Amino acid sequence: MIEQTLSIIKPDATARNLIGHILSRFEEQGLSVVAMQMCTLSLPEAEGFYHVHRERPFFQDLVAFMCSAPVVISVLEGEDAIARNRTVMGATDPAQAGEGTIRAMHGRSIEENSVHGSDSAETARFEIDYFFARGKVYSYDLS
């Protein structure tokens, strides 16, 4: 099934000029970038995006980290895009991520793990709408 999912290249990866490498890894695995923007998140934007973690002890550190430098936010599309994206990213903890995954190759820690990806279809819909309001997503046909 063709799906869309949200992907964020986090500040630790943008600071190390890994944007092109990370995007190419997604494309190599059959995912197409159909929308993309680079920005520095404001505190309210990061807090709203990560609202599900508000009660967790790491929330403030996560929000501060996500606002610390530019991020690249993209919509990836393809067959089983959500699961495929998560496979390409690897486990949240880079030390436990499989060999060749983005987090194993580039993640520094659980906090600085280089990428974010939606974990379900419901989450993907919320996350895509959060950053790409209806009418703002610019898609193109690669065929």
Side-chain angles (χ1 to χ4, degrees):
M1 176 172 74
I2 300 297
E3 298 176 319
Q4 290 187 338
T5 190
L6 188 93
S7 174
I8 301 176
I9 301 175
K10 294 181 176 182
D12 62 297
T14 62
R16 291 181 285 149
N17 296 315
L18 296 172
I19 297 166
H21 176 75
I22 290 172
L23 290 173
S24 70
R25 293 282 296 132
F26 293 131
E27 290 176 331
E28 289 165 5
Q29 297 303 312
L31 297 169
S32 298
V33 177
V34 297
M36 183 168 50
Q37 63 176 305
M38 184 173 192
C39 63
T40 301
L41 296 177
S42 69
L43 187 60
E45 284 173 325
E47 287 175 337
F49 183 73
Y50 286 107
H51 74 278
V52 296
H53 300 303
R54 187 172 301 281
E55 301 303 320
R56 299 218 174 152
F58 61 82
F59 178 73
Q60 291 303 322
D61 290 339
L62 173 62
V63 167
F65 167 64
M66 291 301 291
C67 296
S68 67
V71 295
V72 174
I73 305 165
S74 56
V75 178
L76 303 177
E77 184 176 88
E79 188 75 30
D80 297 317
I82 296 165
R84 187 172 294 191
N85 180 36
R86 297 194 66 77
T87 299
V88 174
M89 288 190 309
T92 303
D93 182 349
Q96 296 177 6
E99 186 177 335
T101 64
I102 292 168
R103 289 176 171 156
M105 292 187 303
H106 302 300
R108 294 176 167 171
S109 66
I110 291 176
E111 294 81 19
E112 294 186 16
N113 61 14
S114 299
V115 287
H116 164 88
S118 305
D119 62 4
S120 69
E122 180 181 359
T123 302
R125 279 190 297 278
F126 165 79
E127 292 180 345
I128 291 168
D129 286 348
Y130 191 83
F131 289 112
F132 298 93
R134 281 190 168 48
K136 284 182 59 179
V137 176
Y138 300 102
S139 297
Y140 56 91
D141 186 355
L142 295 175
S143 54

